[in-house]
Amino acid sequence: MAISEMNREEPCRSSPGNGPRALILFGAPGSGKGTQARLLSEALGIPHISTGDMLREHIQAGDAIGKGVSGTMGAGGLVSDQLVSQLVKERLAQGDCERGFILDGYPRTRTQAETLDHMLAERGVEPVVIPLIVDYNIVIARLSGRSQCVSCGALYNVTSKPSKAAGVCDLDGGKLIVRDDDRESVVRERLDAYQRKTKPWIEYFHQTGRRLEEIDASQLTPAELVARIQVTIERP
Ligand code: AMP
């Protein structure tokens, strides 16, 4: 769906007079975090910085960084704090981050959080930390009902977006399969892991006096959610 169609609540662009903003997004698998980061980036006119995307770009480019991280990433581990913080530091130094940025997937360790604190202090930016809260039953229904075309990658969902013929892609007739990581037991595991890893962050940001704005993302459309986040961050 085009962004223009999704933005039915018409969130306003932030005015250039606003100070720079740093948004730190957290969200469980299936919370819509990636979609939100992209929509917010469009609505606020500030870049979406995903450390996962940056690392994948290096892997695709086949450069030294990519070669160095591909094994760790393939095994689901975390790459070194030093490397990932250096990538973020270099990215934040680019001109398009002057008005602000949206961080997605960083920080992920305490060292990264402390490094980020320094980077933000140097820039004089006070972040808003936004954990997207989702009802696990809704996410499990969303993700475990999902299937994907083996040839073109189109996504379907048994309840919200079924294909016309069961198991067959509407676009190219390809076979629809359920990805291994979308099976219910795996989805539950991913959600539990997220819960375990994220709670300490909420605590960390709380203790360091950061502004925390938990938003219930369970029942909202992408456009409603982006509008809700905008209203929340505009509040003094
Ligand atoms: P993501 O797309 O955010 O799920 O990240 C994909 C993979 O990239 C992770 O499983 C890690 O291997 C690596 N990665 C991304 N961000 C970080 C980070 N902040 N610290 C360490 N590893 C990361």
Side-chain angles (χ1 to χ4, degrees):
M1 187 190 294
I3 284 167
S4 54
E5 287 171 76
M6 295 173 115
N7 285 352
R8 270 172 283 136
E9 290 196 15
E10 293 294 336
C12 343
R13 276 182 174 271
S14 59
S15 81
N18 291 349
R21 353 168 155 263
L23 305 184
I24 305 175
L25 277 189
F26 283 95
S31 65
K33 175 168 65 80
T35 306
Q36 277 315 299
R38 279 190 293 279
L39 291 176
L40 275 172
S41 166
E42 180 76 14
L44 299 170
I46 57 178
H48 164 207
I49 300 176
S50 153
T51 43
D53 285 351
M54 285 162 75
L55 292 165
R56 278 185 288 273
E57 278 165 25
H58 282 286
I59 292 178
Q60 270 192 338
D63 60 19
I65 292 179
K67 287 189 179 123
V69 299
S70 65
T72 309
M73 282 178 71
L78 289 182
V79 311
S80 86
D81 289 333
Q82 204 190 352
L83 170 67
V84 83
S85 291
Q86 185 60 29
L87 291 177
V88 170
K89 194 171 181 185
E90 286 167 11
R91 181 65 188 86
L92 295 188
Q94 292 174 18
D96 62 340
C97 293
E98 264 167 31
R99 290 187 52 225
F101 45 86
I102 301 163
L103 286 175
D104 167 7
Y106 182 91
R108 261 182 160 95
T109 67
R110 187 162 189 115
T111 305
Q112 291 177 22
E114 288 167 357
T115 307
L116 177 64
D117 280 343
H118 288 299
M119 291 192 252
L120 294 174
E122 272 172 14
R123 303 169 76 95
V125 179
E126 194 51 47
V128 184
V129 183
I130 307 176
L132 298 177
I133 308 300
V134 284
D135 180 318
Y136 278 14
N137 292 318
I138 293 178
V139 173
I140 287 165
R142 237 186 235 169
L143 293 184
S144 58
R146 192 160 78 167
S147 59
Q148 187 166 27
C149 173
V150 283
S151 51
C152 74
L155 287 169
Y156 294 87
N157 188 288
V158 279
T159 43
S160 58
K161 192 189 168 202
S163 56
K164 290 190 186 106
V168 180
C169 179
D170 294 348
L171 303 179
D172 65 1
K175 187 177 171 202
L176 301 184
I177 55 155
V178 176
R179 283 172 19 179
D180 280 346
D181 60 354
D182 283 346
R183 291 179 201 285
E184 185 170 334
S185 59
V186 181
V187 170
R188 281 190 191 279
E189 255 174 52
R190 286 164 68 201
L191 289 172
D192 285 346
Y194 171 79
Q195 181 80 346
R196 279 196 309 275
K197 286 182 191 156
T198 304
K199 270 202 169 140
W201 289 118
I202 311 262
E203 192 53 28
Y204 173 85
F205 288 118
H206 197 63
Q207 280 169 1
T208 50
R210 299 307 195 186
R211 182 170 162 201
L212 262 175
E213 297 283 1
E214 290 187 336
I215 297 185
D216 188 342
S218 308
Q219 307 284 356
L220 303 176
T221 65
E224 287 166 345
L225 184 51
V226 86
R228 176 75 57 85
I229 294 175
Q230 279 198 268
V231 167
T232 304
I233 62 177
E234 298 300 345
R235 272 202 316 254

